[in-house]
Amino acid sequence: YSTFKDSSLREENLKQISELETKYETERIERENVLLNTENLLQEAQNKRQRIFLISVIGISGIILTFGFVVYRQYQEKKKANILLEEQNIEIKQQRDQIFQQKQEITDSIQYASRIQNALLPPGEELDKLLPSYFILNKPRNIVSGDYYWVATKDKKVAVAVADCTGHGVPGAFMSILGIASLNEILNK
């Protein structure tokens, strides 16, 4: 009985030990599986983070390259526009200088015409002899004008004319010269 009992206890103990070993082994395998699953999840999360980081870096690099290209292109266009502006400025300065030179030539010519016109007007000494009391107010709007005065003597008589010809500036001055010449011709005839 005792042998049988010992043998039965031993078998039971062995069975329990075997069950505990199986249980331990199963739990160990389950823990390893859980650990492997956790490691796999961590690896997947890390891979996902790396992919997101890589996509972000590529996206940001693309945006930076696009922005750089746009800025470079605008810089090139601005550079071309500045060159064109500089060429236009040079042309404008040349035209301005040419216009200034032409204006100066025209002004010099008109000044000379003014001296001719003033030479045709009676001198102050002659007026002093002919007229006891007089004044002259001659303010041309331009350098030369169509306004003039004329004084002449014929047979001890004094003829005086004050005229305003049509036109201003050079056209008026031409008309005044024609008027003076006509008055001189009328007086002589």
Side-chain angles (χ1 to χ4, degrees), residues 8-147:
S8 158
L9 277 175
R10 207 179 317 150
E11 269 182 38
E12 213 174 280
N13 282 343
L14 283 175
K15 201 179 196 186
Q16 281 181 349
I17 289 174
S18 174
E19 282 178 14
L20 285 175
E21 278 181 358
T22 305
K23 191 176 179 182
Y24 173 75
E25 196 62 32
T26 306
E27 286 178 1
R28 188 183 62 79
I29 289 173
E30 283 178 7
R31 274 194 310 256
E32 283 180 9
N33 284 341
V34 167
L35 187 63
L36 281 175
N37 284 341
T38 306
E39 284 179 5
N40 285 341
L41 289 174
L42 286 174
Q43 186 67 33
E44 286 177 17
Q46 186 176 5
N47 287 344
K48 189 174 182 179
R49 278 194 306 267
Q50 286 177 347
R51 276 193 303 263
I52 290 172
F53 178 75
L54 184 62
I55 290 171
S56 298
V57 167
I58 290 172
I60 290 172
S61 298
I63 290 170
I64 290 172
L65 284 174
T66 303
F67 181 73
F69 176 74
V70 168
V71 168
Y72 178 74
R73 189 167 179 205
Q74 287 177 344
Y75 170 75
Q76 289 297 329
E77 289 175 4
K78 187 176 181 181
K79 191 175 176 182
K80 286 179 186 177
N82 284 341
I83 290 171
L84 181 63
L85 266 175
E86 187 63 33
E87 289 171 356
Q88 289 175 344
N89 278 341
I90 290 170
E91 184 178 341
I92 288 169
K93 285 178 183 177
Q94 289 172 345
Q95 290 174 351
R96 183 200 65 206
D97 292 344
Q98 183 181 7
I99 289 170
F100 180 76
Q101 181 182 2
Q102 289 172 350
K103 180 186 178 280
Q104 189 63 41
E105 289 173 2
I106 291 169
T107 303
D108 290 346
S109 178
I110 291 173
Q111 291 286 352
Y112 188 69
S114 174
R115 287 197 301 270
I116 292 171
Q117 188 179 32
N118 287 333
L120 292 174
L121 296 176
E125 299 86 30
E126 184 180 333
L127 292 174
D128 289 338
K129 289 179 197 175
L130 296 174
L131 302 171
S133 174
Y134 72 93
F135 71 92
I136 298 173
L137 178 62
N138 186 13
K139 290 185 169 184
R141 189 178 90 171
N142 298 1
I143 298 171
V144 291
S145 74
D147 303 335

Side-chain angles (χ1 to χ4, degrees), residues 1-9:
Y1 173 76
S2 182
T3 309
F4 182 69
K5 188 177 176 184
D6 281 340
S7 134
S8 158
L9 277 175

